[in-house]
Amino acid sequence: PFELAREFVARLLSQRSHSTLLLLGGGHETQFAGELESALGHSKRIVNVVNQASFGQTGALLQHARALVCTDSGPLHMADALEIPMVALFSYKNYPAIWEPVYARSRVIHRKVPCGPCFRSHCPENNLCMRLIQPEQVMDALQDLLQELARDG
């Protein structure tokens, strides 16, 4: 959901004034990323490489990330294998416990809904399980994760 993503990114840029946001994704996310960038005034703190980075380049970029916020996707599983700290947002399409990251420095957010797990490729409920995840929940999880990393050095 675009408005929730926009709100989260705006909060992130506001609360973490020295952070740069890297947008990663595939071709099906190009329009979404462009609209997000545009809605936030084409901030110089947003680097959009959606549909531009190869598999190997994505892995290399992830290795430079302090933390990752993502949905259940290829980059999530790459980052997990590389032990990149992350906040992972899961729909209730599948059982999150099967696909969630195994790296200990991860936070998983998902909302159970009566229609899930549904195992459908297209949601008849307008992605209710994802719309229930609020930007402040994601920001809180990210802040908690970053504080843990800072404490541990």
Side-chain angles (χ1 to χ4, degrees):
F2 180 78
E3 285 305 314
L4 296 174
R6 184 199 54 74
E7 184 180 336
F8 168 74
V9 171
R11 281 177 188 251
L12 177 70
L13 293 174
S14 171
Q15 292 179 21
R16 302 208 49 92
S17 61
H18 298 293
S19 295
T20 299
L21 178 69
L22 176 66
L23 300 177
L24 290 167
H28 65 286
E29 296 161 317
T30 304
Q31 181 178 348
F32 186 92
E35 290 173 3
L36 185 59
E37 212 178 358
S38 183
L40 295 164
H42 294 280
S43 170
K44 292 180 181 179
R45 295 175 48 213
I46 298 175
V47 178
N48 182 357
V49 296
V50 171
N51 201 33
Q52 298 175 44
S54 69
F55 184 79
Q57 290 168 331
T58 297
L61 289 166
L62 287 170
Q63 288 181 315
H64 294 282
R66 179 88 172 121
L68 175 70
V69 175
C70 62
T71 58
D72 182 11
S73 60
L76 176 146
H77 299 290
M78 291 173 70
D80 192 31
L82 294 167
E83 296 187 341
I84 307 299
M86 76 179 84
V87 176
L89 314 178
F90 277 79
S91 72
Y92 206 43
K93 172 184 172 183
N94 295 311
Y95 293 102
I98 294 173
W99 299 105
E100 67 185 17
V102 296
Y103 181 53
R105 291 202 166 163
S106 300
R107 306 292 188 271
V108 175
I109 301 174
H110 73 92
R111 298 291 171 252
K112 290 184 178 182
V113 291
C115 53
C118 65
F119 306 106
R120 295 180 181 199
S121 57
H122 298 287
C123 178
E125 300 297 328
N126 195 24
N127 292 313
L128 175 63
C129 53
M130 294 301 284
R131 287 186 294 113
L132 290 173
I133 297 173
Q134 295 300 304
E136 60 272 6
Q137 295 169 304
V138 180
M139 194 68 214
D140 288 348
L142 179 60
Q143 293 285 47
D144 178 60
L145 179 63
L146 291 172
Q147 287 172 358
E148 177 186 312
L149 294 170
R151 277 192 312 268
D152 296 347

